[in-house]
């Protein structure tokens, strides 16, 4: 990979975004109607060849966290897969002031990383990440199996949404949904109650079985962010809380209050399986109501 890191600005009358070629990582999005960004980035961004960018929308592929296979968690590295620390190729022909498309091909990935796919060694794939940024934001990850055998993978669009204070923020639309609690051993199955998801300062790491549209209700900013999903059987909701957030070397103390992650996901017992020639798209759409 080149030591040069390129950050590209998508700017139009309706909104502004910034995207890094490293990881095909959208780092910021702000519609023109808002004084505060909707997709959050920390005060400092650290760039490195094997370093994932904090904030924005990291592309999680082909495993989530340390991976999951045959009913058990695994310990694959890098965490959350290699896509977010890979050099994607920009499709220059489709680049506009509101759109960017990036591609990633298995032929550019080290064999030792490819061998860590859930489905076994020597997978072949072609991935496209499309970003449309104006008064609304659309991000899609399409993966095609270009080999002769099935492939199986996990994926997520790990979106950090900017809020005034996560402890005064609610995520509505997941009421009564079943979820796995990632803060407890063995990820026990739980159920959301009658109320929206709330953040009381403790670590919240949940995998909800839901495809529904969600609303991030920000009391202090007085705005609601509407998040739609496609091709995603799960929604991950995460904030590290004070103890976890203040330990993170790539964030300043207290920055954990400034975001909530709401992610279109397919992981653990809901991986994506593609026969040769098949493709699948996970998408996320964002607007301010």
């Amino acid at each position: 990979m080149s030591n040069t890191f390129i950050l590209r600005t998508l700017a139009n009358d309706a909104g502004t975004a910034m995207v890094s070629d490293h990881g095909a990582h959208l780092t910021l999005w702000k519609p023109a109607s808002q004084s505060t960004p909707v997709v959050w980035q920390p005060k400092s961004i650290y760039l490195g060849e094997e370093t994932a960018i904090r904030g924005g929308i990291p592309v999680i592929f082909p495993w989530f966290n340390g991976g999951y296979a045959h009913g058990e968690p695994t310990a694959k590295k890098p965490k959350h897969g290699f896509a977010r620390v890979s050099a994607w190729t920009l499709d220059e022909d489709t680049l506009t002031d509101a759109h960017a498309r990036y591609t990633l091909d298995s032929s550019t990935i080290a064999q030792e990383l490819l061998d860590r796919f859930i489905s076994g060694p020597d997978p072949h794939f072609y991935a496209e990440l499309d970003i449309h940024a104006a008064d609304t934001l659309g991000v899609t990850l399409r993966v095609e199996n270009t080999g002769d055998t099935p492939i199986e993978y996990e994926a997520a669009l790990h979106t950090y949404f900017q809020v005034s204070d996560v402890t005064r923020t609610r995520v509505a639309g997941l009421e009564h949904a079943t979820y796995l609690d990632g803060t407890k051993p063995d990820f026990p199955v739980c159920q959301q109650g009658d109320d929206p998801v709330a953040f009381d300062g403790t670590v919240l790491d949940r995998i909800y079985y839901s495809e529904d549209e969600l609303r991030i209700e920000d009391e202090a900013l007085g705005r609601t962010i509407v998040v739609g999903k496609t091709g995603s059987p799960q929604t991950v909701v995460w904030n590290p809380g004070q103890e976890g957030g203040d330990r993170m070397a790539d964030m300043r103390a207290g920055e954990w209050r400034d975001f909530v992650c709401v992610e279109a996901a397919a992981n653990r017992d809901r991986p994506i399986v593609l026969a040769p020639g098949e493709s699948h798209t996970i998408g996320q759409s964002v607007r301010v109501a």
Side-chain angles (χ1 to χ4, degrees):
M1 176 179 172
S2 167
N3 289 324
T4 301
F5 291 87
I6 299 175
L7 295 173
R8 303 178 188 273
T9 300
L10 307 180
N12 52 75
D13 291 343
T16 304
M18 184 174 293
V19 189
S20 167
D21 290 2
H22 175 59
H25 191 129
L26 185 143
T27 65
L28 178 76
W29 171 61
K30 188 178 83 68
S33 63
Q34 299 296 302
S35 58
T36 303
V38 174
V39 172
W40 175 85
Q41 68 177 25
K43 293 179 174 64
S44 301
I45 296 179
Y46 297 86
L47 300 176
E49 288 190 20
E50 299 181 359
T51 302
I53 298 172
R54 176 69 61 188
I57 308 181
V59 179
I60 309 305
F61 171 84
W63 55 83
F64 188 95
N65 206 335
Y68 191 83
H70 311 299
E72 298 289 339
T74 57
K76 299 174 185 178
K77 293 183 178 181
K79 182 180 179 181
H80 285 321
F82 52 73
R84 66 180 187 156
V85 292
S86 293
W88 291 60
T89 300
L90 175 70
D91 184 345
E92 298 274 5
D93 293 337
T94 64
L95 182 65
T96 71
D97 61 0
H99 173 258
R101 174 179 295 158
Y102 287 90
T103 63
L104 185 69
D105 190 284
S106 53
S107 64
T108 67
I109 305 300
Q111 189 63 46
E112 63 177 334
L113 292 175
L114 293 177
D115 289 346
R116 298 172 192 171
F117 259 73
I118 300 172
S119 45
D122 202 29
H124 295 268
F125 70 86
Y126 173 80
E128 286 183 343
L129 187 83
D130 265 287
I131 298 169
H132 294 263
D135 56 340
T136 61
L137 176 68
V139 180
T140 59
L141 172 66
R142 176 183 173 272
V143 177
E144 179 182 353
N145 181 355
T146 56
D148 298 324
T149 58
I151 63 172
E152 183 175 345
Y153 63 90
E154 299 173 283
L157 298 172
H158 192 333
T159 310
Y160 288 71
F161 291 99
Q162 181 153 339
V163 296
S164 56
D165 183 343
V166 71
T167 66
R168 299 176 63 189
T169 299
R170 303 291 181 267
V171 178
L174 293 168
E175 293 81 0
H176 308 296
T178 300
Y179 67 88
L180 305 179
D181 188 344
T183 68
K184 299 177 181 177
D186 300 322
F187 283 72
V189 178
C190 305
Q191 188 169 29
Q192 182 69 24
D194 296 335
D195 298 323
V197 180
F199 305 82
D200 60 3
T202 61
V203 176
L204 180 60
D205 188 2
R206 297 178 182 176
I207 302 170
Y208 284 87
Y209 292 87
S210 172
E211 301 179 53
D212 294 340
E213 182 178 88
L214 306 179
R215 300 178 307 282
I216 302 172
E217 300 171 346
D218 189 331
E219 174 186 338
L221 272 184
R223 76 178 179 190
T224 298
I225 302 169
V226 181
V227 184
K229 305 189 304 121
T230 57
S232 163
Q234 297 161 315
T235 298
V236 175
V237 179
W238 176 75
N239 179 275
Q242 181 175 8
E243 183 178 353
D246 286 350
R247 284 202 308 263
M248 292 180 175
D250 54 359
M251 294 197 318
R252 298 183 188 180
E255 281 196 284
W256 62 273
R257 287 184 176 273
D258 299 339
F259 67 84
V260 59
C261 287
V262 176
E263 315 167 33
N267 68 3
R268 290 183 70 89
D269 60 332
R270 296 291 190 275
I272 296 165
V273 181
L274 298 180
E278 286 186 338
S279 65
H280 183 85
T281 300
I282 282 182
Q284 202 163 34
S285 61
V286 184
R287 62 183 175 86
V288 178

